[in-house]
Structures are given as structure tokens and as C-alpha cells.
Amino acid sequence: MPLYGSQFEAEVVLHYLKSHKTLLEPVGVRTFEKPEASNFMPFCGPCNRTYFGDVGRTYELEIRRPREDRLPFLCFLNFTAAGGPYGDLVQITFDAFTVGKFVSYIVDGCPDGYMTIQEKGLPNIGGQWCGSAWGYTVYYSESASLNLTLLLTKLSDQGIGYNFDFKITFKYIRKTDAHLRYGNSSVSSWRGNLVASTYCDRILEQCETRTCRIQSPNYPGIYPRNVTCYYRVEVRETTRGRHPLVAVSQRHAHKIHIKDQFVKYDRSQRMLR
């Protein structure tokens, strides 16, 4: 699928209404952001390496177009935030991205090659990115380490059909600095508890006493391909004679975009929104 994806965030608010009915069942909601490499040696390529870095620094990395006689081209990149002064999360900005071509959402959508991202400790969901993207396109990891894999099986001539261009900048950030995701000292954000063995299913509870936020995975960056997230808002206790009303809202409309049906791919809109 194309690289871009609309991130979303919504706030959950619980109101209690007077009622003579029993407690409502919990509500389930379904929804369809120059490197230093370990053991780096001169004259060696950038692939098949693990990259570390310091908080506060930005690193550049470019994977050059492979030669025809080197196909299929396979490149493994690992980015690890080692904690403390080396950060807790990984931020990758795609300055240039063209990997193969995108032809379909349904079957064999990336026939010439693709990129995948696998995060440490999270299930492998098998999603792929391919085609071209431009604009401000950023990936924020959920974990401290991720594997990025590039596969290219076919080259096209330079020009209109040029199908490989890959340049990124990356940095390592502390969780305490990720305010858009986790909030700050004055305004915290409770994202819920991650359900075991899932990529992004979460249970949110006690939202009547704290601010709960439903966020797309890897918020505020692009989210992974081929994933469905389930968010369950639960109320464990309630006052006798009342039942909870769950309200999900977002004051800033540009921060939420949920499609309820299949929409034909619009090639004119490839910027992260």
C-alpha cells in the first residue's frame, strides 16, 4: 500500500445519566508519525546493520538503487533505542520514498517490491508499503527496536517508471519528550492497556477519573499496514440508579479520519494528512 496514512486521536469522556435500567454493557469500538552503525566498517554498505544514536541528534541514511545483476535486492536495517541518553523510541522521517509500484489494495498490490517494518515485542502483521510518497511522512515506533526490510525484485528505467529512491533521517527520542502521544506533566494521556498478543487492541477503563485517548497505532505518525484495532471502553463501577454514557470526541477535525467503506485509491493525494 502507499506509504501515507491518516493518523487519528480522539478523547473519551464518560457522563453518568439518571436511569432505572441496569448497567449498560461495556462498549467496544472498532476502527479500520550520517548514521552510526554498530561495528561499522569502511567500504561496507548500509544494509544488514543495527543503528544506534544519541538523543538530540539527527542521522541521515540513503540506500542507493541496486544494479540489475544484484536482483532480487534485499536490505535489512535495524534501529534500536538503547535507553537513557540513547532514547526510548525511534523516529524515522522518509525524505524520499519510491519502492516498486502500488497497483491494488486487494491482491498482489506490490508486484515489484516493498518495505516492511517489524517492531520488537509486537506481532508480525505482514503489512507492506510500496509505490511513491511525498510530503511530511514520519514513522514513530511503539517499541525500542524495529526491523525495516526493503525488497526489490524488478527495476524500471529512470524517468516516469523509476521505481527505487530511498532516503531517510532518523533520531532517537525519550518517552518523556513524546508529548503528542503520552501527554506532559500538566496534561497526561491514558492510551489504555495493550491486550496481550495483539498489535494495537486496547482496553480503556476508569475514564471517568482520568483523560482517556483513543489513538491509532504509532500515533502521531503513519500507522502500520494490514492491521485492525479494537478499543474497548469499560466501566467497572457505577452509582446505583445511573448508567454510564460513553462519548468519543475530537475538537480538531483534521486529527481524525476513519473510512467506513472501501474508497478507490486517489493517486493525487499522497501526503500524510
Side-chain angles (χ1 to χ4, degrees), residues 74-96:
L74 189 61
C75 178
F76 298 101
L77 303 170
N78 174 268
F79 300 90
T80 296
Y86 309 109
D88 307 304
L89 303 170
V90 183
Q91 174 186 322
I92 300 177
T93 302
F94 295 89
D95 299 315

Side-chain angles (χ1 to χ4, degrees), residues 1-272:
M1 297 181 72
L3 186 63
Y4 69 88
S6 300
Q7 75 278 27
F8 70 82
E9 180 184 42
E11 182 173 335
V12 178
V13 181
L14 288 181
H15 300 282
Y16 287 93
L17 303 180
K18 292 183 179 180
S19 173
H20 297 292
K21 297 181 180 179
T22 58
L23 177 66
L24 293 180
E25 292 296 323
V27 177
V29 181
R30 181 179 181 180
T31 66
F32 301 118
E33 168 222 316
K34 307 217 176 188
E36 293 179 355
S38 60
N39 302 321
F40 186 80
M41 298 177 62
F43 313 112
C44 291
C47 294
N48 308 322
R49 297 193 174 278
T50 295
Y51 292 91
F52 301 94
D54 299 314
V55 169
R57 297 186 61 184
T58 300
Y59 304 92
E60 298 178 353
L61 179 62
E62 178 179 4
I63 307 298
R64 298 188 180 277
R65 186 174 188 259
R67 301 200 311 255
E68 187 78 34
D69 60 353
R70 295 294 179 89
L71 298 180
F73 173 72
L74 189 61
C75 178
F76 298 101
L77 303 170
N78 174 268
F79 300 90
T80 296
Y86 309 109
D88 307 304
L89 303 170
V90 183
Q91 174 186 322
I92 300 177
T93 302
F94 295 89
D95 299 315
F97 183 92
T98 299
V99 179
K101 61 182 179 181
F102 172 72
V103 297
S104 172
Y105 280 106
I106 310 302
V107 179
D108 195 21
C110 302
D112 297 342
Y114 53 81
M115 178 188 76
T116 64
I117 296 178
Q118 172 64 42
E119 295 213 28
K120 181 180 180 180
L122 294 176
N124 184 5
I125 54 178
Q128 301 172 353
W129 285 272
C130 64
S132 298
W134 54 82
Y136 185 69
T137 306
V138 184
Y139 184 93
Y140 293 91
S141 72
E142 290 280 355
S143 63
S145 182
L146 63 86
N147 293 323
L148 188 153
T149 303
L150 293 169
L151 173 66
L152 190 66
T153 59
K154 180 182 178 181
L155 284 176
S156 60
D157 296 332
Q158 295 190 20
I160 297 177
Y162 191 62
N163 70 343
F164 190 84
D165 188 14
F166 189 84
K167 298 178 183 178
I168 64 172
T169 55
F170 62 94
K171 62 173 63 176
Y172 299 93
I173 58 179
R174 296 186 178 94
K175 277 190 174 183
T176 53
D177 295 330
H179 297 158
L180 288 178
R181 179 181 294 179
Y182 301 108
N184 52 41
S185 57
S186 58
V187 180
S188 61
S189 296
W190 171 244
R191 307 173 71 212
N193 292 317
L194 182 66
V195 177
S197 302
T198 71
Y199 190 96
C200 55
D201 294 358
R202 292 183 178 272
I203 297 177
L204 297 94
E205 57 185 3
Q206 297 181 344
C207 296
E208 68 275 19
T209 61
R210 58 184 169 187
T211 301
C212 295
R213 295 190 182 276
I214 296 176
Q215 297 177 343
S216 54
N218 303 94
Y219 181 86
I222 57 174
Y223 46 76
R225 309 294 85 176
N226 193 41
V227 64
T228 298
C229 303
Y230 296 87
Y231 302 91
R232 186 179 182 91
V233 182
E234 292 186 351
V235 178
R236 299 293 180 88
E237 298 180 0
T238 186
T239 305
R240 182 179 178 84
R242 295 171 180 263
H243 69 263
L245 174 65
V246 179
V248 181
S249 63
Q250 174 52 260
R251 298 177 183 176
H252 308 288
H254 68 279
K255 288 187 177 182
I256 185 166
H257 180 63
I258 303 176
K259 297 179 180 178
D260 58 1
Q261 61 183 357
F262 176 78
V263 179
K264 185 177 180 181
Y265 174 52
D266 182 0
R267 296 181 181 275
S268 66
Q269 299 293 329
R270 294 184 179 176
M271 184 178 295
L272 178 66

